[in-house]
Amino acid sequence: MEPISLSQNSFSPGGDAVTARGRKLECHLLLLAGIYTLAGTLVLYLGASGTPGRQALIAGIATVAAFFLVHLYWKAGKYKGDCFLLPITAVLSSTGLIFLFRLNPAYGMRQFVWILIGLGALVLISRLLADFRFLGDYKYIYALAGVIALILPIFFGQEQGGAKSWLDFGLFQFQPSEFVKLLVVLFLASFLIENKAALSAGTRSLGWLSLPSPQEWAPLAAMWGISMLLLVFQRDLGTALIYFGTFLAMIYVATSRVFYTLFGMGLFLAGATASYYIFSHVRTRIEIWLNPWQNIDTAGYQIAQSLFAFGSGGMLGAGLGQGFPGFIPAVHTDLIFSAICEEMGLIGGLGVIILFMIFVFRGIKIALNTGDEFAALAAAGFTALLGLQTFIIIAGVTKLLPLTGVTLPYMSYGGSSLVANFILLGLLLNISHEAGGGL
Amino acid sequence: MLTVLLMILRYSFLLLLFVFIFKLVKWMVKDLKADRLLEDPAGGRIIVINSSLPEPKPGASFDIGKEIIIGRGRGSGVLIRDSFTSTRHARVFLKGGQYWLEDLKSTNGTYLNEVQVGRPVLLTDKDIMQVGGVTFQFARWGYEVGSGN
């Protein structure tokens, strides 16, 4: 066991030595991520002759180089953010990029640009919002901005895949609900901290239950109700599920009262049952989930093709570029995990899941390590958000849960989702930077 | 020739994913062990040196462990039944082998060496903390960090 010197960091937890070690680990891991990406893009380059293969090779190398530049920038600036999250993100997003090039080089090229924009956003966040604490002061602005951003697509939105949640800007389309997710977490973190005592202890009692007074819970309920209604009108069920799950997770983290979680789950079950009877599109989704083979040519086609992809992938997969994932509808966005499993097999799919699990583990660790309550709650919220989104889409494509259209973070094609998730990463890293843990 | 090379590359693509995961997990476990080393030798307590209330009496001492809450609420490790104290008033917690004092947005504030606490602050041996009508002294044992400060 190497002795750890404590005297040099008596005034900042985790001194410069620890930070330097962390950045060195990050460098090693990024190097491995680079070799991995290179192998993947070489397969595409050698497999498909002509420009698409060359594009993939260049974009892959450029992506890895961009991640390295972010690393070097942080190293120079003595940034103390977590050292494992950037390499994990690098592997996830370059896997996504490789599969997009393999599926459709045009999507790959656009995704490459979005990754660069996302990394730019990450650097900006780590530079400008390093002292993120002031973010806690504007909670009602978030609530307002969030509501406006969710209302806009209802009136001016474009419908895609049954969900009306895109705004068309000509050059690109923008999905506000991806960014509103971050606002929801910041709003909840700041609101819950302010009213934590009242919510966890309760100010009035109702028999054996002590409940907080309406002033304390009404804003929460209103915010929750508005977001749910909007999402129902936009028919974006997956996003509604993620919002609600994050909401419950954060309330539990803030108050440690199981009652709220149980009550919330009860509400969810009631809501789900009601929407099953009210909305035909919800009913269709449930029916497909219970038996996709009944309507295999129409509504059940997508999930059935996804299941075929898993089946034909087997243990080790068909090999990159060897499968036929093109039959799966929306394979480049929501169902990219099916393509990965078809070509990299169960093993590759498990690898991706393990990476997401480690991401969540690090996120929870960041939340536990920080001394500040707002930061801890925000970190827990961001982690819950990312973990839930990953779980919901992977469970959806494997038919564990009804399939709802959300993106697989960092991997699916889509600029809004990618940039929003890089901003999430930046905020999480800033929280760990402030806690001073280079590791 | 090309097909063989492609096949090797395809399998190494999969293999490299797991090389990455293996290294990641290895270094993360190392990091967890290092954390534990940092936190193990820690030990600290807060001792009441002045109190305007019947409880806690001067001389009473509380082990901090990983975290202790000072406040009027039932869950508090240090219970102060004083109208100037909030339900969850302040907390002292261990992080990275150091003890920190944080004010939990209390109404009347927490004072460290007669200065009001805003952000979490690092505690050193013999620091004086004041919550409501009670004054505490922080005492640290185990190793001496920055003794003489």
Side-chain angles (χ1 to χ4, degrees), chain A residues 1-2 4 6 9-11 13 21 25 28-29 32-33 35-36 39-40 42-43 46-47 84 87-88 91 95 98-99 131 133 193 196 316 318-322 344 347-348 350-352 354-355 358 361-362 365 369-373 434-435 439, chain B residues 2 5-6 8-21 23-35 37-39 41 74 87-88 91 93-98 100 102-105 119-120 122-124 143-146 149:
Chain A
M1 275 188 276
E2 50 187 318
I4 289 167
L6 288 162
N9 46 13
S10 45
F11 286 101
R21 205 171 89 88
L25 280 185
H28 282 301
L29 287 169
L32 284 172
I35 300 171
Y36 163 79
L42 265 179
V43 172
L46 296 174
F84 294 107
I88 294 174
V91 169
T95 309
I98 289 167
F99 272 89
D131 185 17
R133 219 179 285 267
I193 286 304
K196 187 175 150 177
L316 285 172
L320 183 58
Q322 302 283 87
M344 292 173 83
I347 299 287
L350 283 179
V352 169
I354 291 171
L355 286 177
I358 296 175
F361 171 77
R362 291 308 298 182
K365 200 151 181 292
N369 268 351
T370 172
D372 180 75
E373 284 195 298
E434 216 232 12
L439 279 169
Chain B
L2 188 65
L5 183 67
L6 264 174
I8 293 169
L9 268 175
R10 277 189 192 113
Y11 282 113
S12 43
F13 181 54
L14 201 53
L15 188 75
L16 282 164
L17 179 62
F18 278 85
V19 171
F20 176 82
I21 292 172
K23 287 277 183 194
L24 188 69
V25 171
K26 194 180 126 191
W27 282 326
M28 254 168 43
V29 170
K30 225 180 199 172
D31 157 45
L32 281 178
K33 280 187 184 147
D35 268 15
L37 271 179
L38 275 171
E39 289 185 5
R74 264 170 298 167
T87 319
R88 284 164 54 87
R91 72 174 180 135
F93 61 96
L94 180 65
K95 201 187 71 184
Q98 313 270 7
W100 296 73
E102 183 187 12
D103 181 64
L104 300 172
K105 299 229 165 101
R119 296 176 162 202
L122 187 70
L123 288 173
T124 51
Y143 56 84
E144 296 296 313
V145 174
N149 281 328

Side-chain angles (χ1 to χ4, degrees), chain B residues 35-57:
Chain B
D35 268 15
R36 206 162 299 141
L37 271 179
L38 275 171
E39 289 185 5
D40 260 357
R45 56 173 51 200
I46 45 182
I47 301 154
V48 179
I49 52 171
N50 204 343
S51 172
S52 62
L53 303 162
E55 278 295 324
K57 287 191 178 63

Side-chain angles (χ1 to χ4, degrees), chain A residues 380-391:
Chain A
F382 288 133
T383 309
L385 183 70
L386 189 113
L388 276 167
Q389 177 156 355
T390 309
F391 172 72

Side-chain angles (χ1 to χ4, degrees), chain A residues 188 243-253 260-265 268:
Chain A
L188 283 175
Y243 281 18
F244 195 63
T246 308
F247 175 76
L248 286 188
M250 288 183 74
I251 287 201
Y252 181 70
V253 170
Y260 287 124
T261 319
L262 292 178
F263 182 69
M265 283 180 182
F268 171 76

Side-chain angles (χ1 to χ4, degrees), chain A residues 386-404:
Chain A
L386 189 113
L388 276 167
Q389 177 156 355
T390 309
F391 172 72
I392 285 169
I393 187 60
I394 292 185
V397 300
T398 49
K399 207 172 86 69
L400 180 68
L401 289 180
L403 179 61
T404 50

